[in-house]
Amino acid sequence: MTPDPLIETKSLSKKYEEGETYTPALNDITFSIHNGEFVSIMGPSGSGKSTLLHILGFLDRQTGGTYKFDGRSLESYADEELAGVRNKKMGFVFQAFNLLPRSTVLENVRLPLLYSDIKESLWDEKAKEAIDAVGLTQRINHEAFKLSGGEKQRVAIARALVNDPQVIFADEPTGNLDSKSGQAVISILEKLNIEKKHTVILITHETETAEHAERIIRIVDGKVESDKPVERRRSGSEFYK
């Protein structure tokens, strides 16, 4: 018996209203993603892929169609419930890192635990485990502004991991990085997917980056142009062992 999908959209649409003008961002988006998949959502700038991520991550609501996460429709959640699900079941990695520059690596990674049900006495232990998973134990007491771009993104991944989420959403995570640092970040996402079984949804406009997934959903002008499995590219990085 095939398990129910973790993420399921049917005829999903999103329109932005400006006075009497409506601007369509998404139109008739239908797909599903199961636990443990690594999926790239790929498209050019302005294609709607970031809008789609915001809906999938409970950061926005669609204007048409349906979205179910873990078998439950987005409409059935109250706002406070949405915040709880985001904190417990979803991890986010953004292009801009979104770290507190004067806080240490440990302090940044601990932040999501402030809103969790985990006992405070366990926060440091949980944060250290996540930091170790991205290979940054030696930087644990460094302030974020002293880190390289690649190290900052690895801290952001550790922060996304600290609550052991079902799914990690990574929105252009290599966009501000050089190629070597970008490869290290992608290899960490690979390892989390293959070894730790985290579901990973990667938003990117780069073909080479997208091909590290096992499946690519291409979005063009707010529509799904294609949804196909791919021969997965492996990073070969020191972080993927």
Side-chain angles (χ1 to χ4, degrees):
M1 184 175 179
T2 304
D4 291 335
L6 175 64
I7 284 171
E8 184 178 18
T9 71
K10 289 185 178 179
S11 301
L12 194 74
S13 65
K14 177 68 177 181
K15 295 179 181 179
Y16 292 102
E17 182 178 357
E18 299 175 16
E20 296 182 358
T21 303
Y22 291 88
T23 303
L26 298 173
N27 184 26
D28 197 27
I29 300 287
T30 298
F31 62 82
S32 59
I33 296 173
H34 286 81
N35 267 310
E37 282 196 83
F38 189 143
V39 177
S40 287
I41 296 176
M42 185 183 173
S45 179
S47 61
K49 59 187 185 297
S50 289
T51 299
L52 177 58
L53 178 141
H54 288 161
I55 294 172
L56 298 181
F58 287 5
L59 300 169
D60 198 1
R61 293 178 183 265
Q62 77 271 23
T63 50
T66 60
Y67 168 40
K68 289 184 178 181
F69 179 82
D70 209 10
R72 186 173 168 187
S73 67
L74 176 57
E75 292 80 12
S76 70
Y77 289 93
D79 287 343
E80 61 271 17
E81 286 184 290
L82 293 178
V85 172
R86 276 197 305 267
N87 185 255
K88 293 177 181 178
K89 296 188 177 184
M90 300 176 177
F92 296 89
V93 182
F94 296 104
Q95 181 176 344
F97 317 133
N98 296 341
L99 302 179
L100 299 177
R102 294 286 175 179
S103 295
T104 66
V105 169
L106 180 63
E107 289 165 344
N108 270 284
V109 174
R110 276 175 39 136
L111 277 175
L113 298 173
L114 293 171
Y115 310 99
S116 73
D117 298 328
I118 297 171
K119 293 179 180 179
E120 187 174 354
S121 60
L122 298 176
W123 288 359
D124 279 359
E125 178 185 344
K126 292 278 292 182
K128 288 175 181 177
E129 286 176 0
I131 292 165
D132 182 61
V134 300
L136 276 183
T137 299
Q138 75 281 8
R139 295 283 193 268
I140 196 167
N141 293 315
H142 283 58
E143 292 173 314
F145 80 93
K146 297 178 181 178
L147 304 176
S148 69
E151 288 172 335
K152 288 177 181 176
Q153 195 59 292
R154 284 153 63 188
V155 174
I157 293 172
R159 183 184 56 195
L161 278 178
V162 75
N163 273 330
D164 194 27
Q166 281 182 273
V167 58
I168 298 170
F169 294 103
D171 191 2
E172 300 280 7
T174 64
N176 285 335
L177 305 179
D178 59 48
S179 59
K180 183 178 180 181
S181 297
Q183 281 291 96
V185 164
I186 292 299
S187 70
I188 290 169
L189 293 174
E190 285 180 340
K191 187 171 183 178
L192 293 172
N193 172 248
I194 294 169
E195 295 186 6
K196 304 298 184 181
K197 309 304 181 186
H198 287 283
T199 305
V200 177
I201 298 176
L202 173 66
I203 306 294
T204 184
H205 65 278
E206 300 172 341
T207 300
E208 186 173 330
T209 300
E211 288 175 348
H212 287 274
E214 58 194 338
R215 175 180 161 204
I216 298 176
I217 300 172
R218 296 182 187 272
I219 305 290
V220 177
D221 296 331
K223 298 181 180 180
V224 175
E225 182 184 66
S226 62
D227 181 355
K228 298 177 181 178
V230 294
E231 185 175 347
R232 191 168 188 173
R233 182 191 295 265
R234 294 295 174 87
S235 66
S237 164
E238 63 183 289
F239 293 99
Y240 183 71
K241 296 178 181 178

